[in-house]
Amino acid sequence: MTADRWTMIEKLYHAAAARAEEDRDAFVAASCGGDRDLEAEVLSLLEPRDEAVAFLEVQPVSTATQVPVPLHSRFRIGSLVGPYRIESELGAGGMGAVFLATDQRLHRTVAIKVLSAALSSDPTHRARFLEEARAVSALSHANIVVLYDIAEHEGADYLVLEYVRGVPLSQIIVPEIGRA
C-alpha cells in the first residue's frame, strides 16, 4: 500500500468515525467514489467489536499516568522471562514498559509489554491489563499486532506481542490527520 493510499484511508476513517454510527456507511460509500477496495478497508477499520469497544470506552485509571511506577526487578536486559530473553527496552510509561525480546523456542523477535509489579498487585489495574489482552486477541487486522502469549513472571503480568520493526508512531503521525 502506498503512503498516499494510507493517508487517504486515515483521513476517511477519522472523518467517518466522527459521524454518528448510523451515518457512517453512507458517508464512506459516498466519499470513496465507487472505489470498493478503499470502502472495504475503511469499513473494516470502523467495524465494531463488542469486547474491544467496551474496553476502549473505559477511562484509564488516572493514577497510572500521574506517578511513574518502577518496573519489576526481574525484567532486566539479558534475563530470561519464561522462554523469552530480554534484549533491550523499547519504551516505558505510567503502567509499565515494553521490551524487545527473543523467543528462545521459536527463534523469533517479540515485544513484551510488562505491567509494573506495583500495578500487577492492584486488582483494578490487573483486570484492565487482562481486558487489553482480550481485546487485542479478539481483533484480526493487518494494522494490529498479534498477541502471542500472556503470562505472569514473579508477580508481574506481561503480554508477548508481535514485534513490528519501524520508527515510533510519534515520529510519523501527522497532527492534521483526523481534522478532516
Side-chain angles (χ1 to χ4, degrees), residues 14-34:
H14 289 293
R19 298 187 181 288
E21 192 171 335
E22 61 272 7
D23 299 333
R24 288 181 186 161
D25 288 356
F27 170 79
V28 171
S31 299
C32 291

Side-chain angles (χ1 to χ4, degrees), residues 1-13 35 38 41-42 174 177:
M1 180 178 305
T2 67
D4 289 342
R5 181 75 167 185
W6 182 242
T7 299
M8 184 184 305
I9 290 168
E10 285 181 314
K11 286 182 179 180
L12 283 171
Y13 166 80
D35 184 337
L38 177 60
E41 185 67 27
V42 173
V174 180
I177 295 175

Side-chain angles (χ1 to χ4, degrees), residues 48-58 130-139:
R49 308 272 186 171
D50 292 339
E51 287 183 34
V53 170
F55 167 75
L56 294 172
E57 288 176 348
V58 174
L130 296 174
E131 277 301 310
E132 177 184 347
R134 288 185 190 105
V136 169
S137 71
L139 300 172

Side-chain angles (χ1 to χ4, degrees), residues 72-76 80-81 117 120 151-158:
H72 196 277
S73 62
R74 299 296 180 203
F75 288 83
R76 289 189 297 256
L80 276 177
V81 175
S120 282
E152 179 267 333
H153 179 71
E154 297 185 12
D157 293 300
Y158 65 93

